Amino acid sequence: MVLKLLGAAANFAVVLFLVKKLSITEAGYYFYIFSAVLICSVVARFGMDHYIIREVARSQFDINLEKKISRKIFLLFIITVLTTLIIFFVLYIYFLFFESWIKKEIIVPMVVMAILFQAWANICASILQGLGRSVASGLAMSAGVPIINLFLLLTGDYIGLISFNFFIFALLISNAVTAIIALAGIKSWINFCVPSFEELSELLSDGKEFFVSKILQIGYDQAPVIYTGLFLGPVQNAVFGVSSRVTSLIGYVNTSISLVTAPIYATNGFATAKKEGCSIDGWLVKFGFAQLIISIVLSIFSEKILLIFGHKY
């Protein structure tokens, strides 16, 4: 939970820094590209986060199964490279015909590499979570990229390098550093060998249901930004982007509290809580009231919070 809070705070700081340093049009394009990276990253890794967590956790007590799962995940790393190459050509053609203002030779390679590294970082995070290494998983999945990204942007601003291209470059490097560190954490677990066609077939067959659910989830989160960027333009997308960051604070309260409360009930259960004089229930009720109050306060002052981004929004 602490790592998620740090990641959320760093993400918010990056957005605040973004709208202060770039024009409203450039900010709109950045939100658009950022959402495209998230969606394409899920496509590149076939949305197999939960599949990896489940299979790695299952394999902890079976050496043969662990080797088999390790080979499949190594195969997934290879697949992400091939998928990312396809995404590269699709994005290049799209920017060639529809977004001619962007320097394709600079932006597209950086965006595609960010997609690949983000896919790798999420695969590693899922492996680490399956192995029970929650802190390392949290760094790879939630906190690593935004914190490194913020550091790079502040450094770039200090030495006078801030531009739209530098923001994309910082996004690439933050994903790359996080992925490399995460890969170092799981390299002893991965089985580096040539997987068979049968294992490829099994991987795609087992993971397809996870792919659909993950695509629907990320689509629900990012589709409004993509739609606004495609059909309404970068200015409207920038306004929508900063507004959604304010409203997401309310939703994040719910998520953060559930991360605390869910394990309590999972570990102790309602019956145990009742035997203990409902002490756990009482504690959760206090959390619920805190959640309600914070949500109301954020809703009431949302317009003033939005002004933090500047009057142009």
Side-chain angles (χ1 to χ4, degrees), residues 67-80 82 190-204:
K67 289 181 179 179
K68 182 178 180 181
I69 297 303
S70 179
R71 286 197 304 272
K72 284 185 178 180
I73 294 176
F74 177 62
L75 175 60
L76 183 59
F77 277 108
I78 298 173
I79 291 174
T80 57
L82 301 176
I190 289 291
N191 190 351
F192 296 95
C193 64
V194 180
S196 65
F197 179 79
E198 182 184 351
E199 287 172 331
L200 171 61
S201 179
E202 285 182 10
L203 177 67
L204 297 179

Side-chain angles (χ1 to χ4, degrees), residues 12 19 22 34 37 64 70 74 79 101 112 115 144 146 173 191 193 197 212 236 239 282 289 300 306 308:
F12 193 82
V19 298
L22 298 182
F34 185 83
V37 169
N64 293 326
S70 179
F74 177 62
I79 291 174
W101 71 274
V112 170
I115 291 169
I173 298 301
N191 190 351
C193 64
F197 179 79
V212 172
Q236 291 85 347
V239 175
F289 275 116
I300 292 173
L306 192 59
I308 294 173

